[in-house]
Amino acid sequence: MPGGDVVEDGPDSWRDLPEEVAAVLRLGAEIGAHGVRRRLGPLLETPLTVQQLRCLTALVADGSGTPAHLSELLQVSPATTTGIVDRLVRAGMVDRAPDARDGRGRVLSPTAAGQRVVRELLASDVETDAAVLAGLTAEELAALHTGLGGVLRVLRSRDPAR
């Protein structure tokens, strides 16, 4: 799909679907491709390495963590984890504090700056989404609202937690 080409085909499993369903899936795939290209910019602009991003993301997701936990999660040696964390601390993305349960250990927590980096990389591009929606006609917007409401209804009916 480079260059914004229309998705002419999809996976073989789409061939057995009604054409109307396959057409919606193709449109969704093309919209998804635009979203991926839009989101790659911030990822390519970050000075963080993949391992640093993984470490920071884990800390943001969990709220905090120990170096031992991060070593296990990242599947790297404790020495490698120390190097990754040292760089994140110097960059102002992570704080180190003594572990209240074990005075010899450390607890790592993402700073506000670290949380912001992860949020910017992973969050929906709300401003762009709003601009796209604002460009739709009233009829298109109403139809999209009805269609998305139907998708949500089906998702909710399939959710075993409900």
Side-chain angles (χ1 to χ4, degrees):
M1 252 177 301
D5 297 334
V6 174
V7 177
E8 296 293 332
D9 240 350
D12 287 339
S13 62
W14 290 6
R15 297 189 201 299
D16 298 331
L17 297 172
E19 179 52 36
E20 298 83 10
V21 172
V24 170
L25 290 172
R26 284 191 296 272
L27 285 173
E30 186 173 354
I31 290 168
H34 282 276
V36 167
R37 287 192 296 274
R38 192 174 68 222
R39 288 176 182 236
L40 284 178
L43 184 61
L44 294 173
E45 291 170 9
T46 183
L48 302 177
T49 67
V50 171
Q51 287 290 54
Q52 290 168 345
L53 279 172
R54 289 181 67 212
C55 180
L56 184 58
T57 301
L59 290 173
V60 168
D62 293 343
S64 65
T66 64
H69 173 72
L70 288 173
S71 290
E72 185 177 311
L73 182 70
L74 299 174
Q75 298 181 334
V76 297
S77 71
T80 299
T81 300
T82 298
I84 292 168
V85 170
D86 285 348
R87 287 186 288 282
L88 289 171
V89 168
R90 279 194 304 273
M93 308 268 177
V94 170
D95 281 331
R96 267 193 197 105
D99 189 337
R101 294 173 294 176
D102 173 10
R104 296 172 297 161
R106 297 280 182 207
V107 174
L108 309 168
S109 302
T111 63
Q115 291 176 30
R116 188 171 40 258
V117 166
V118 171
R119 192 172 47 251
E120 288 173 0
L121 290 173
L122 300 179
S124 174
D125 187 350
V126 176
E127 293 81 15
T128 302
D129 293 344
V132 169
L133 292 175
L136 297 177
T137 66
E139 295 80 19
E140 290 168 333
L141 198 53
L144 181 60
H145 186 269
T146 299
L148 290 175
V151 168
L152 183 57
R153 176 185 45 79
V154 172
L155 288 170
R156 285 177 175 162
S157 74
R158 293 178 176 208
D159 185 357
R162 290 194 152 245

